[in-house]
């Protein structure tokens, strides 16, 4: 069975600081991994995904994530936070490589001026 | 960018009442989904729907739940007799491809409160 764990339900950073949101996965098969973002009063929006190939994946809005099999991790980073990055971020894993996703509990990112 | 639209954004109902949550998926998408998130918990898969039938459902999706695509554009989730524990944010999603995942488009959700 597949699962993801997001460490830290809340993360606060200053504008311009590094953003690091943690996600660890469990999967008995090579995983497909995703990061979604939810801005206030909006739906979940795909930030980036890892399926196969290059382990460093670049997404929208300057975010990227690195698939590390040895650490079973897929942490999301952004070098310099912007006020508009304040949102809830969800890590997810695909079940049997389908659109059925298992989500983490989410991390709320706050960005202070 | 195309959007998945959900209505209403908030729904309050009494325990035991029926509710219907509505979704308009993106027009050329073929796969439809309902997910939900109970406050403070994970977003959970409920059901997937393709070619006018359920393709997969979770253990949460019991006989009290049903889905329907009544016309060419709407996709609905019905809860026949709501319970307190059905209170959650319900997300509809759609995609072009169901396998070898493409891009899931989610709606902004319906917050269901059962009193």
């Amino acid at each position: 069975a597949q699962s993801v764990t997001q460490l830290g339900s809340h993360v606060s950073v200053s504008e311009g600081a590094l953003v690091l949101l943690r996600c660890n996965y469990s999967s008995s098969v090579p995983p497909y991994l995703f990061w979604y973002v939810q801005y206030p009063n909006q739906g979940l929006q795909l930030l980036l995904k890892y399926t196969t190939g290059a382990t460093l994946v670049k997404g929208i809005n300057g975010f990227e994530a690195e698939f590390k099999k040895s650490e079973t991790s897929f942490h999301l980073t952004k070098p310099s936070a912007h006020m508009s990055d304040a949102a809830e971020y969800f890590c997810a894993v695909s079940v049997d490589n389908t659109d059925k996703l298992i989500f983490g509990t989410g991390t709320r990112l706050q960005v202070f001026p | 960018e195309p959007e998945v639209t959900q209505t209403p954004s908030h729904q309050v109902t009494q325990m035991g009442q029926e509710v219907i949550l509505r979704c308009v998926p993106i027009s050329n998408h073929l796969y439809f989904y309902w997910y939900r998130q109970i406050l403070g918990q994970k977003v959970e898969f409920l059901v997937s729907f393709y070619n006018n039938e359920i393709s997969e459902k979770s253990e949460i999706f019991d006989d009290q739940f049903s889905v329907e695509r009544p016309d060419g554009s709407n996709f609905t989730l019905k809860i026949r007799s709501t319970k307190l524990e059905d209170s959650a944010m319900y997300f509809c999603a759609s995609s072009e491809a169901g396998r070898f995942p493409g891009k899931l488009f989610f709606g902004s959700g319906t917050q269901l409160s059962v009193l």
Side-chain angles (χ1 to χ4, degrees), chain A residues 40-111:
Chain A
N41 301 315
Q42 295 186 30
L44 296 164
Q45 180 183 0
L46 181 66
L47 266 181
L48 49 80
K49 67 178 179 181
Y50 169 79
T51 54
T52 57
T55 55
L56 182 62
V57 180
K58 294 187 187 299
I60 61 172
N61 302 337
F63 283 93
E64 60 184 38
E66 188 170 10
F67 171 66
K68 290 188 176 180
K69 186 178 177 181
S70 60
E71 298 177 9
T72 61
S73 69
F74 190 58
H75 301 330
L76 182 70
T77 59
K78 182 173 180 177
S80 177
H82 193 272
M83 297 295 289
S84 60
D85 295 325
E88 183 116 25
Y89 292 80
F90 295 91
C91 181
V93 63
S94 163
V95 176
D96 298 330
N97 301 338
T98 66
D99 277 334
K100 179 182 174 182
L101 301 178
I102 294 177
F103 285 86
T105 47
T107 298
R108 184 164 296 278
L109 176 66
Q110 285 186 303
V111 183

Side-chain angles (χ1 to χ4, degrees), chain A residues 3-4 32 34 36 38 41-46 49 51 90 94 96-105, chain B residues 1 31 33 35 37 40-45 56 91 95 97-108:
Chain A
S3 67
V4 289
Y32 286 7
F34 305 81
Y36 280 84
Q38 185 180 28
N41 301 315
Q42 295 186 30
L44 296 164
Q45 180 183 0
L46 181 66
K49 67 178 179 181
T51 54
F90 295 91
S94 163
D96 298 330
N97 301 338
T98 66
D99 277 334
K100 179 182 174 182
L101 301 178
I102 294 177
F103 285 86
T105 47
Chain B
E1 189 169 72
Y31 295 82
Y33 308 83
Y35 285 78
Q37 185 182 28
Q41 297 185 26
K42 298 183 179 186
V43 176
E44 304 170 291
F45 169 81
E56 190 170 357
F91 293 104
S95 73
R99 222 176 154 83
F100 304 109
K103 191 172 174 180
L104 262 185
F105 287 78
F106 283 84
S108 54

